[in-house]
Amino acid sequence: HSALTQPASVSGSPGQSITISCTGTSSDIGTYNLVSWYQQHPGKAPELMIYEVTKRPSGVSNRFSGSKSGNTASLTISGLQAEDEADYYCCSFAGSGPSYVFGTGTKVTVL
Amino acid sequence: EVQLVQSGAEVKKPGESLKISCKGSGYSFTTYWIGWVRQMPGKGLEWMGIIYPGDSDTRYSPSFQGQVTISADKSIATAYLQWTSLKASDTALYYCARVGGGSFINWFDPWGQGTLVTVSS
């Protein structure tokens, strides 16, 4: 499985909403509702923000939401805050094996 | 608190062997899969493989099959990632993470702090 495709960068002003796309294929995102999203601040380990397309772990702000349509999943951050500036990665289950494929990563900049 | 604590940074020469570790605490180590993820300098995340410590069932990404060995010692709640002959291209940050999910395990949480492996002559 090739890496899922994400935009290299997305930016927004404080308070705005931004959406990060994650495009895969019919073998991963298109077949399974098993997409997760991770936030990674510089020098830190990734943290789970969304799992199974739309679910939020306890402790994660409700400003983060996920969705999926066809072969593309999306992460929306509403009410953008300075602390949201980080790299974001999507990940999809890619078949029983099991196997997983990560996205190329998106750098979010808060203007 | 569920926690994964990884071993410290390593500096090795090409051709040397290495085994890094990931110790779990705060949960039943034998009933959750542990995954390993590589992050090369300035690059994204790559899934390497997973292991079920309860019975050491191990699955590898095709990209890493034969390149590394994943193992676990459930008696000390520790998973391992090892190389027999390192290459400069193995220089990266390596993360372990607990893998969660229902019928299909599919999310990684929490993550260890990462182990930086530097391979240089």
Side-chain angles (χ1 to χ4, degrees), chain B residues 61-92:
Chain B
S61 160
S63 300
F64 292 92
Q65 179 84 47
Q67 308 305 307
V68 297
T69 300
I70 294 171
S71 60
D73 184 340
K74 61 184 179 182
S75 69
I76 54 172
T78 301
Y80 302 97
L81 177 66
Q82 71 179 89
W83 296 259
T84 56
S85 181
L86 286 160
K87 303 183 285 287
S89 57
D90 292 318
T91 294

Side-chain angles (χ1 to χ4, degrees), chain A residues 55-69:
Chain A
K55 299 176 182 176
R56 232 179 4 258
S58 62
V60 172
S61 171
N62 60 9
R63 298 185 298 102
F64 292 85
S65 61
S67 62
K68 191 190 92 166
S69 177

Side-chain angles (χ1 to χ4, degrees), chain A residues 94-105:
Chain A
S96 58
S99 68
Y100 308 90
V101 58
F102 281 95
T104 50

Side-chain angles (χ1 to χ4, degrees), chain A residues 11-28:
Chain A
S11 62
S13 299
Q16 287 187 326
S17 293
I18 61 169
T19 296
I20 303 168
S21 61
C22 169
T23 302
T25 69
S26 58
S27 298
D28 38 63

Side-chain angles (χ1 to χ4, degrees), chain A residues 34 36 38 40 44-48 51-52 89 91 93 96-100 102-104, chain B residues 37 39 43-47 50 59 95 99 101-102 104-109 111-113:
Chain A
L34 299 173
S36 51
Y38 303 87
Q40 186 179 35
K44 299 293 188 183
E47 290 188 30
L48 177 68
Y51 67 100
E52 294 179 351
Y89 294 90
C91 178
F93 183 85
S96 58
S99 68
Y100 308 90
F102 281 95
T104 50
Chain B
V37 176
Q39 187 168 38
K43 301 298 184 182
L45 305 173
E46 300 172 90
W47 173 67
I50 57 172
R59 316 291 173 86
Y95 291 103
V99 192
F104 296 108
I105 52 166
N106 67 95
W107 70 81
F108 297 85
D109 179 64
W111 295 61
Q113 83 275 21

